[in-house]
Coordinates of all heavy atoms in Angstrom, one line a residue:
M1 N -8.1 -14.2 -2.6 CA -8.7 -12.9 -2.1 C -8.8 -11.9 -3.4 O -7.8 -11.8 -4.1 CB -7.8 -12.2 -1.1 CG -8.2 -11.0 -0.6 SD -7.2 -10.2 0.8 CE -7.0 -11.7 1.8
D2 N -9.9 -11.3 -3.6 CA -10.1 -10.5 -4.8 C -9.6 -9.1 -4.6 O -9.3 -8.7 -3.4 CB -11.5 -10.6 -5.4 CG -12.5 -9.9 -4.5 OD1 -12.2 -9.2 -3.5 OD2 -13.7 -10.2 -4.6
R3 N -9.6 -8.3 -5.6 CA -9.0 -6.9 -5.5 C -9.8 -6.0 -4.5 O -9.2 -5.4 -3.8 CB -9.0 -6.3 -6.9 CG -8.2 -5.0 -7.0 CD -8.3 -4.3 -8.3 NE -7.2 -3.3 -8.4 CZ -7.4 -2.0 -8.0 NH1 -8.4 -1.7 -7.3 NH2 -6.5 -1.1 -8.1
A4 N -11.1 -6.3 -4.5 CA -11.9 -5.4 -3.5 C -11.6 -5.8 -2.1 O -11.5 -4.9 -1.3 CB -13.5 -5.8 -3.8
E5 N -11.3 -7.0 -1.7 CA -11.0 -7.5 -0.5 C -9.5 -6.8 -0.1 O -9.3 -6.3 1.0 CB -10.9 -9.0 -0.3 CG -12.2 -9.5 -0.3 CD -12.1 -11.1 -0.1 OE1 -11.9 -11.7 -1.3 OE2 -12.3 -11.6 1.0
V6 N -8.6 -6.9 -1.0 CA -7.3 -6.4 -0.8 C -7.3 -4.8 -0.6 O -6.8 -4.3 0.3 CB -6.3 -6.8 -2.0 CG1 -5.1 -5.9 -1.9 CG2 -6.1 -8.2 -2.0
D7 N -8.1 -4.2 -1.4 CA -8.3 -2.7 -1.4 C -8.9 -2.5 0.0 O -8.4 -1.5 0.7 CB -9.3 -2.4 -2.4 CG -9.6 -0.8 -2.4 OD1 -8.7 0.0 -2.4 OD2 -10.8 -0.5 -2.3
S8 N -9.9 -3.1 0.5 CA -10.5 -2.9 1.7 C -9.5 -3.0 2.9 O -9.4 -2.1 3.9 CB -11.7 -3.7 2.0 OG -12.3 -3.6 3.3
R9 N -8.8 -4.0 2.9 CA -7.7 -4.3 4.0 C -6.5 -3.3 4.0 O -6.2 -2.8 5.0 CB -7.1 -5.7 3.9 CG -8.2 -6.7 4.4 CD -7.8 -8.1 4.0 NE -6.7 -8.6 4.9 CZ -6.3 -9.8 4.8 NH1 -6.8 -10.8 4.0 NH2 -5.2 -10.2 5.5
I10 N -6.2 -2.9 2.8 CA -5.1 -1.9 2.6 C -5.6 -0.4 3.1 O -4.9 0.2 3.8 CB -4.5 -1.7 1.2 CG1 -3.8 -3.1 0.9 CG2 -3.5 -0.6 1.1 CD1 -3.2 -3.3 -0.5
R11 N -6.8 -0.2 2.9 CA -7.4 1.1 3.3 C -7.4 1.2 4.8 O -7.2 2.3 5.4 CB -8.8 1.2 2.8 CG -8.9 1.7 1.3 CD -10.3 1.9 0.8 NE -10.3 2.1 -0.7 CZ -10.0 3.3 -1.2 NH1 -9.8 4.3 -0.5 NH2 -10.1 3.4 -2.6
T12 N -7.6 0.1 5.4 CA -7.6 0.1 7.0 C -6.2 0.2 7.4 O -5.9 1.0 8.4 CB -8.1 -1.3 7.5 OG1 -9.4 -1.4 7.1 CG2 -8.1 -1.4 9.0
I13 N -5.2 -0.3 6.7 CA -3.7 -0.2 7.1 C -3.2 1.2 6.9 O -2.4 1.7 7.7 CB -2.9 -1.3 6.3 CG1 -3.3 -2.6 6.8 CG2 -1.5 -1.0 6.6 CD1 -2.7 -3.8 5.8
I14 N -3.8 1.8 5.7 CA -3.1 3.1 5.5 C -3.7 4.2 6.2 O -3.0 5.3 6.5 CB -3.4 3.4 3.9 CG1 -2.4 4.4 3.3 CG2 -4.7 4.0 3.7 CD1 -2.4 4.7 1.8
E15 N -4.8 4.0 6.9 CA -5.4 5.1 7.6 C -4.5 5.8 8.7 O -4.4 7.1 8.7 CB -6.6 4.6 8.5 CG -7.8 5.5 8.6 CD -9.1 4.8 9.0 OE1 -9.7 4.1 8.2 OE2 -9.4 5.0 10.2
P16 N -3.8 5.1 9.6 CA -2.9 5.8 10.5 C -1.7 6.6 9.9 O -1.1 7.5 10.3 CB -2.4 4.8 11.4 CG -2.7 3.6 10.8 CD -3.8 3.7 9.9
F17 N -1.4 6.1 8.7 CA -0.2 6.7 7.9 C -0.7 7.9 7.0 O 0.1 8.7 6.6 CB 0.3 5.7 6.9 CG 1.0 4.5 7.5 CD1 0.4 3.4 7.8 CD2 2.4 4.7 7.9 CE1 0.9 2.3 8.4 CE2 3.0 3.6 8.5 CZ 2.3 2.4 8.7
N18 N -2.0 8.1 6.8 CA -2.6 9.2 6.1 C -2.9 10.4 7.0 O -4.0 10.7 7.3 CB -3.9 8.7 5.5 CG -4.5 9.7 4.4 OD1 -3.9 10.7 4.1 ND2 -5.6 9.4 3.9
K19 N -1.8 11.1 7.3 CA -1.8 12.2 8.3 C -2.6 13.4 7.9 O -3.3 14.1 8.7 CB -0.4 12.7 8.7 CG 0.5 11.5 9.2 CD 0.2 11.2 10.6 CE 1.2 10.2 11.1 NZ 0.8 9.3 12.0
K20 N -2.8 13.5 6.7 CA -3.5 14.7 6.1 C -4.9 14.5 5.6 O -5.6 15.2 5.0 CB -2.6 15.3 5.0 CG -1.3 16.0 5.4 CD -0.7 16.7 4.1 CE 0.4 17.4 4.7 NZ 1.0 18.3 3.8
S21 N -5.3 13.2 5.9 CA -6.7 12.8 5.5 C -6.9 12.9 3.9 O -8.0 13.4 3.7 CB -7.8 13.4 6.4 OG -7.6 13.1 7.8
V22 N -6.0 12.5 3.2 CA -6.0 12.6 1.8 C -7.0 11.7 1.3 O -7.0 10.4 1.8 CB -4.6 12.4 1.1 CG1 -4.7 12.3 -0.5 CG2 -3.7 13.5 1.4
E23 N -8.0 11.9 0.4 CA -8.8 10.9 -0.2 C -8.0 9.9 -1.0 O -7.3 10.4 -1.8 CB -9.9 11.6 -1.1 CG -10.9 10.6 -1.7 CD -11.9 11.2 -2.7 OE1 -11.9 12.6 -2.8 OE2 -12.6 10.5 -3.3
I24 N -8.2 8.6 -0.7 CA -7.4 7.5 -1.3 C -8.2 7.1 -2.5 O -9.3 6.5 -2.4 CB -7.2 6.4 -0.3 CG1 -6.4 6.9 0.9 CG2 -6.4 5.4 -1.0 CD1 -5.1 7.5 0.8
T25 N -7.5 7.2 -3.7 CA -8.1 6.7 -4.9 C -6.9 5.9 -5.5 O -5.8 5.8 -5.1 CB -8.4 7.8 -5.9 OG1 -7.3 8.5 -6.4 CG2 -9.4 8.7 -5.3
D26 N -7.3 5.2 -6.7 CA -6.2 4.5 -7.3 C -5.0 5.2 -7.8 O -3.9 4.7 -7.9 CB -6.8 3.6 -8.5 CG -7.5 2.2 -8.1 OD1 -7.4 1.9 -6.9 OD2 -8.1 1.6 -8.9
S27 N -5.3 6.5 -8.0 CA -4.3 7.3 -8.6 C -3.6 8.1 -7.6 O -2.7 8.8 -7.8 CB -4.7 8.3 -9.7 OG -5.8 9.2 -9.0
T28 N -3.8 7.9 -6.2 CA -3.2 8.6 -5.0 C -1.8 8.3 -5.1 O -1.4 7.0 -5.1 CB -3.9 8.3 -3.7 OG1 -5.3 8.7 -3.8 CG2 -3.2 9.0 -2.6
S29 N -0.9 9.2 -5.1 CA 0.6 8.9 -5.0 C 1.2 8.9 -3.7 O 0.8 9.9 -2.9 CB 1.3 10.1 -5.9 OG 2.7 10.2 -5.6
F30 N 1.9 7.9 -3.3 CA 2.6 7.9 -2.0 C 3.5 9.0 -1.8 O 3.4 9.7 -0.7 CB 3.3 6.6 -1.8 CG 2.3 5.4 -1.8 CD1 2.2 4.5 -3.0 CD2 1.4 5.1 -0.9 CE1 1.4 3.4 -3.0 CE2 0.5 4.1 -0.9 CZ 0.4 3.3 -1.9
A31 N 4.3 9.4 -2.7 CA 5.3 10.5 -2.5 C 4.7 11.8 -2.6 O 4.9 12.7 -1.7 CB 6.4 10.3 -3.4
G32 N 3.8 12.0 -3.7 CA 3.3 13.3 -4.0 C 2.1 13.7 -3.1 O 2.1 14.6 -2.3
D33 N 1.0 12.8 -3.1 CA -0.2 13.2 -2.5 C -0.1 13.0 -1.0 O -0.5 13.8 -0.2 CB -1.4 12.3 -3.1 CG -1.6 12.7 -4.5 OD1 -1.5 13.8 -4.9 OD2 -2.0 11.7 -5.2
L34 N 0.3 11.8 -0.6 CA 0.5 11.3 0.8 C 1.7 11.9 1.6 O 1.8 11.8 2.8 CB 0.3 9.9 1.0 CG -1.0 9.3 0.6 CD1 -0.9 7.8 0.4 CD2 -2.1 9.8 1.5
E35 N 2.7 12.3 0.7 CA 4.0 12.8 1.2 C 4.6 11.8 2.2 O 5.2 12.2 3.2 CB 3.7 14.2 1.9 CG 3.2 15.1 1.0 CD 2.9 16.6 1.7 OE1 3.3 16.8 2.8 OE2 2.4 17.4 1.0
F36 N 4.7 10.6 1.7 CA 5.4 9.6 2.6 C 6.9 9.8 2.4 O 7.4 9.9 1.3 CB 5.1 8.1 2.0 CG 3.8 7.6 2.5 CD1 2.8 8.4 3.1 CD2 3.5 6.2 2.3 CE1 1.6 7.9 3.6 CE2 2.3 5.7 2.9 CZ 1.3 6.5 3.4
D37 N 7.7 9.8 3.5 CA 9.1 9.8 3.5 C 9.6 8.3 3.5 O 8.7 7.5 3.6 CB 9.7 10.7 4.6 CG 9.4 10.2 5.9 OD1 9.0 9.0 6.2 OD2 9.5 11.0 7.0
S38 N 10.9 8.2 3.4 CA 11.4 6.8 3.3 C 11.1 6.0 4.5 O 10.9 4.7 4.5 CB 12.9 6.8 3.0 OG 13.6 7.5 4.0
L39 N 11.1 6.5 5.7 CA 10.8 5.8 7.0 C 9.4 5.4 7.0 O 9.0 4.3 7.3 CB 11.2 6.6 8.1 CG 10.9 6.0 9.5 CD1 11.8 4.7 9.6 CD2 11.2 6.9 10.6
T40 N 8.5 6.2 6.6 CA 7.0 6.0 6.5 C 6.8 5.0 5.5 O 6.0 3.9 5.7 CB 6.3 7.2 6.2 OG1 6.4 8.3 7.1 CG2 4.7 6.8 6.1
V41 N 7.4 4.9 4.3 CA 7.3 3.8 3.4 C 7.8 2.5 3.9 O 7.0 1.6 3.8 CB 8.1 4.2 2.1 CG1 8.1 2.9 1.1 CG2 7.6 5.2 1.4
M42 N 8.8 2.5 4.8 CA 9.3 1.2 5.2 C 8.3 0.6 6.3 O 8.0 -0.5 6.2 CB 10.7 1.4 5.9 CG 11.9 1.6 5.0 SD 13.5 1.9 5.6 CE 13.5 1.1 7.3
D43 N 7.7 1.5 7.1 CA 6.8 1.1 8.1 C 5.5 0.7 7.5 O 4.9 -0.3 7.9 CB 6.4 2.2 9.1 CG 7.6 2.6 10.0 OD1 8.6 1.8 10.2 OD2 7.5 3.8 10.7
F44 N 5.1 1.3 6.4 CA 3.9 1.0 5.7 C 4.0 -0.3 5.0 O 3.2 -1.3 5.1 CB 3.5 2.1 4.7 CG 2.2 1.9 3.9 CD1 1.0 1.6 4.6 CD2 2.2 1.8 2.7 CE1 -0.1 1.4 3.8 CE2 1.1 1.5 1.8 CZ -0.1 1.4 2.4
V45 N 5.1 -0.5 4.3 CA 5.4 -1.8 3.6 C 5.4 -2.9 4.5 O 4.8 -4.0 4.4 CB 6.7 -1.7 2.8 CG1 7.1 -3.0 2.3 CG2 6.4 -0.7 1.5
A46 N 6.1 -2.7 5.7 CA 6.2 -3.8 6.7 C 4.7 -4.2 7.1 O 4.5 -5.3 7.4 CB 6.9 -3.4 8.0
A47 N 3.9 -3.2 7.4 CA 2.5 -3.5 7.9 C 1.8 -4.2 6.7 O 1.0 -5.2 7.1 CB 1.6 -2.1 8.1
I48 N 2.0 -4.0 5.5 CA 1.4 -4.6 4.4 C 1.8 -6.0 4.3 O 1.0 -7.0 4.2 CB 1.6 -3.9 3.0 CG1 1.0 -2.5 3.0 CG2 1.1 -4.7 1.8 CD1 -0.4 -2.5 2.8
E49 N 3.2 -6.2 4.4 CA 3.7 -7.5 4.4 C 3.2 -8.4 5.6 O 2.8 -9.6 5.3 CB 5.3 -7.4 4.4 CG 5.9 -6.9 3.2 CD 7.4 -6.7 3.2 OE1 8.0 -6.4 4.4 OE2 8.0 -6.7 2.3
D50 N 3.1 -7.9 6.6 CA 2.5 -8.5 7.9 C 1.1 -8.9 7.6 O 0.7 -10.2 7.9 CB 2.7 -7.9 9.2 CG 4.2 -7.7 9.6 OD1 5.0 -8.4 9.1 OD2 4.4 -6.8 10.4
E51 N 0.2 -8.1 7.2 CA -1.1 -8.3 7.0 C -1.4 -9.5 6.0 O -2.3 -10.2 6.2 CB -1.8 -7.1 6.5 CG -3.3 -7.1 6.1 CD -4.1 -7.4 7.4 OE1 -3.8 -7.1 8.5 OE2 -5.3 -7.9 7.2
F52 N -0.6 -9.4 4.8 CA -0.9 -10.3 3.8 C 0.0 -11.5 3.7 O 0.0 -12.3 2.8 CB -0.9 -9.6 2.5 CG -2.0 -8.6 2.3 CD1 -1.8 -7.3 2.5 CD2 -3.4 -9.1 1.9 CE1 -2.9 -6.3 2.5 CE2 -4.3 -8.1 1.8 CZ -4.1 -6.7 2.1
D53 N 1.0 -11.6 4.7 CA 2.1 -12.6 4.6 C 2.7 -12.7 3.3 O 2.8 -13.8 2.7 CB 1.4 -14.0 5.0 CG 2.5 -14.9 5.5 OD1 3.6 -14.6 5.9 OD2 2.1 -16.1 5.4
I54 N 3.3 -11.6 2.9 CA 4.0 -11.5 1.6 C 5.3 -10.8 1.8 O 5.5 -10.1 2.8 CB 3.1 -10.8 0.5 CG1 2.8 -9.3 0.9 CG2 2.0 -11.6 0.1 CD1 2.1 -8.5 -0.2
I55 N 6.2 -10.8 0.8 CA 7.4 -10.0 0.8 C 7.3 -9.1 -0.5 O 7.1 -9.6 -1.6 CB 8.6 -10.8 0.8 CG1 8.7 -11.8 1.9 CG2 9.9 -9.9 0.6 CD1 9.0 -11.1 3.3
I56 N 7.5 -7.8 -0.2 CA 7.6 -6.8 -1.4 C 9.0 -6.5 -1.5 O 9.4 -5.8 -0.6 CB 6.6 -5.6 -1.1 CG1 5.2 -6.1 -0.9 CG2 6.7 -4.7 -2.3 CD1 4.3 -4.9 -0.5
S57 N 9.6 -6.9 -2.7 CA 11.0 -6.6 -2.8 C 11.3 -5.1 -3.0 O 10.5 -4.4 -3.4 CB 11.6 -7.5 -4.1 OG 11.1 -6.8 -5.2
M58 N 12.6 -4.7 -2.9 CA 12.9 -3.3 -3.0 C 12.6 -3.0 -4.6 O 12.2 -1.9 -4.7 CB 14.4 -3.1 -2.8 CG 14.8 -3.3 -1.3 SD 13.9 -2.2 -0.2 CE 14.9 -0.8 -0.4
N59 N 12.9 -3.9 -5.4 CA 12.5 -3.6 -6.8 C 11.1 -3.3 -7.1 O 10.7 -2.4 -7.8 CB 13.1 -4.7 -7.7 CG 14.5 -4.7 -7.9 OD1 15.3 -3.8 -7.6 ND2 15.1 -5.9 -8.3
Q60 N 10.3 -4.2 -6.5 CA 8.8 -3.9 -6.7 C 8.4 -2.7 -5.9 O 7.6 -1.9 -6.5 CB 8.0 -5.0 -5.8 CG 8.1 -6.4 -6.7 CD 7.6 -7.6 -5.8 OE1 8.0 -7.8 -4.7 NE2 6.6 -8.3 -6.5
Q61 N 9.0 -2.3 -4.8 CA 8.7 -1.1 -4.1 C 8.9 0.1 -5.0 O 8.2 1.1 -5.1 CB 9.4 -1.0 -2.8 CG 8.9 -2.0 -1.8 CD 9.7 -1.8 -0.5 OE1 10.2 -0.6 0.0 NE2 10.2 -2.8 0.2
A62 N 10.1 0.1 -5.7 CA 10.6 1.2 -6.5 C 9.4 1.5 -7.6 O 9.4 2.5 -8.1 CB 11.9 0.9 -7.1
E63 N 8.8 0.3 -8.1 CA 8.0 0.4 -9.3 C 6.5 0.9 -8.8 O 5.7 1.2 -9.6 CB 7.8 -0.8 -10.0 CG 9.1 -1.4 -10.6 CD 9.1 -2.7 -11.2 OE1 7.9 -3.4 -11.1 OE2 10.0 -3.1 -11.7
I64 N 6.2 0.8 -7.4 CA 4.8 1.1 -7.0 C 4.8 2.6 -6.6 O 5.4 2.9 -5.6 CB 4.6 0.2 -5.9 CG1 4.4 -1.2 -6.3 CG2 3.1 0.6 -5.2 CD1 4.2 -2.3 -5.2
E65 N 4.1 3.4 -7.4 CA 4.0 4.9 -7.1 C 2.7 5.3 -6.6 O 2.5 6.3 -5.9 CB 4.6 5.6 -8.3 CG 6.0 5.4 -8.7 CD 6.2 6.1 -9.9 OE1 5.5 6.8 -10.5 OE2 7.4 5.9 -10.4
T66 N 1.6 4.5 -6.9 CA 0.3 4.9 -6.5 C -0.4 3.9 -5.8 O -0.1 2.6 -5.8 CB -0.6 5.1 -7.8 OG1 -0.7 3.9 -8.5 CG2 0.1 6.2 -8.6
Y67 N -1.5 4.2 -5.1 CA -2.2 3.3 -4.3 C -2.8 2.1 -5.3 O -2.8 1.0 -4.8 CB -3.5 4.1 -3.7 CG -4.3 3.2 -2.8 CD1 -4.0 2.8 -1.5 CD2 -5.5 2.6 -3.3 CE1 -4.8 1.9 -0.8 CE2 -6.4 1.9 -2.6 CZ -6.0 1.5 -1.4 OH -6.8 0.6 -0.6
G68 N -3.3 2.4 -6.4 CA -3.8 1.4 -7.2 C -2.8 0.4 -7.7 O -3.1 -0.9 -7.7
Q69 N -1.6 0.8 -8.0 CA -0.6 0.0 -8.2 C -0.3 -1.0 -7.1 O 0.0 -2.2 -7.3 CB 0.8 0.7 -8.7 CG 0.7 1.3 -10.0 CD 1.9 2.3 -10.2 OE1 2.5 2.8 -9.4 NE2 2.2 2.5 -11.5
L70 N -0.3 -0.5 -5.9 CA -0.1 -1.2 -4.6 C -1.1 -2.4 -4.6 O -0.8 -3.6 -4.4 CB -0.1 -0.5 -3.5 CG 0.1 -1.3 -2.1 CD1 1.5 -1.9 -2.1 CD2 -0.1 -0.3 -0.9
V71 N -2.4 -2.0 -4.8 CA -3.5 -3.0 -4.6 C -3.2 -4.0 -5.7 O -3.5 -5.2 -5.4 CB -4.9 -2.3 -4.7 CG1 -6.0 -3.3 -4.8 CG2 -5.1 -1.3 -3.6
D72 N -3.0 -3.6 -6.9 CA -2.8 -4.6 -8.0 C -1.6 -5.5 -7.6 O -1.8 -6.8 -7.8 CB -2.6 -4.0 -9.3 CG -3.8 -3.3 -9.9 OD1 -4.9 -3.6 -9.5 OD2 -3.6 -2.3 -10.8
A73 N -0.6 -5.0 -7.1 CA 0.6 -5.9 -6.9 C 0.3 -6.9 -5.7 O 0.7 -8.1 -5.8 CB 1.8 -4.9 -6.4
V74 N -0.3 -6.3 -4.7 CA -0.7 -7.3 -3.5 C -1.7 -8.3 -4.0 O -1.4 -9.5 -3.7 CB -1.2 -6.4 -2.3 CG1 -1.7 -7.5 -1.2 CG2 -0.2 -5.6 -1.8
T75 N -2.7 -7.9 -4.7 CA -3.6 -8.8 -5.3 C -2.9 -10.0 -6.1 O -3.2 -11.0 -6.0 CB -4.8 -8.1 -6.2 OG1 -5.3 -7.2 -5.3 CG2 -5.7 -9.1 -6.7
G76 N -2.0 -9.5 -7.0 CA -1.1 -10.5 -7.8 C -0.3 -11.4 -7.0 O 0.1 -12.5 -7.4
M77 N 0.1 -11.0 -5.8 CA 0.9 -11.8 -4.9 C 0.2 -12.9 -4.0 O 0.8 -13.8 -3.5 CB 1.8 -10.9 -4.0 CG 2.8 -10.2 -4.7 SD 3.7 -9.2 -3.4 CE 4.1 -7.8 -4.3
Q78 N -1.0 -12.8 -4.0 CA -1.8 -13.6 -3.2 C -1.6 -15.2 -3.6 O -1.8 -15.4 -4.8 CB -3.3 -13.4 -3.1 CG -3.6 -12.0 -2.5 CD -3.2 -11.9 -1.0 OE1 -3.7 -12.6 -0.3 NE2 -2.1 -11.2 -0.8
G79 N -1.4 -16.0 -2.7 CA -1.3 -17.5 -3.0 C 0.0 -17.9 -3.7 O 0.1 -18.9 -4.2
K80 N 1.0 -16.9 -3.7 CA 2.3 -17.3 -4.2 C 3.3 -17.7 -3.3 O 3.3 -17.3 -2.1 CB 2.7 -16.2 -5.0 CG 1.9 -16.0 -6.4 CD 2.6 -14.9 -7.3 CE 1.8 -14.9 -8.5 NZ 2.3 -13.8 -9.5

């Protein structure tokens, strides 16, 4: 799956979590722009893991601050 496909699928997943209808770009910050709290992050990560059949470790989660970083990380995990 290429980055565009991953991006499209994550955009669908993020929609119900995007309560303020923030425009999603690669530089959109989960904490700053989307104002995700820790519970929202856990629910969102679980949805991503289920959709792509991957595991995102706590260390990886700590390094992912923007939407673009998430798309890149998930794209890199495909087929592993």
Side-chain angles (χ1 to χ4, degrees):
M1 183 176 313
D2 67 16
R3 190 180 193 281
E5 289 177 278
V6 170
D7 177 55
S8 176
R9 287 171 68 177
I10 293 176
R11 284 182 186 276
T12 302
I13 295 167
I14 204 171
E15 216 167 281
F17 294 94
N18 187 2
K19 304 288 187 209
K20 294 186 171 188
S21 299
V22 173
E23 181 183 353
I24 304 296
T25 68
D26 276 356
S27 62
T28 300
S29 158
F30 294 108
D33 298 320
L34 295 170
E35 298 178 9
F36 280 14
D37 61 21
S38 57
L39 181 59
T40 304
V41 168
M42 286 177 29
D43 289 343
F44 179 62
V45 168
I48 297 290
E49 290 175 333
D50 289 347
E51 175 71 21
F52 293 96
D53 193 28
I54 58 174
I55 301 292
I56 302 173
S57 73
M58 294 299 276
N59 288 343
Q60 287 170 309
Q61 288 178 41
E63 294 174 2
I64 297 171
E65 296 177 2
T66 66
Y67 179 81
Q69 289 173 331
L70 175 65
V71 173
D72 290 340
V74 172
T75 302
M77 289 181 210
Q78 294 300 291
K80 290 188 178 178

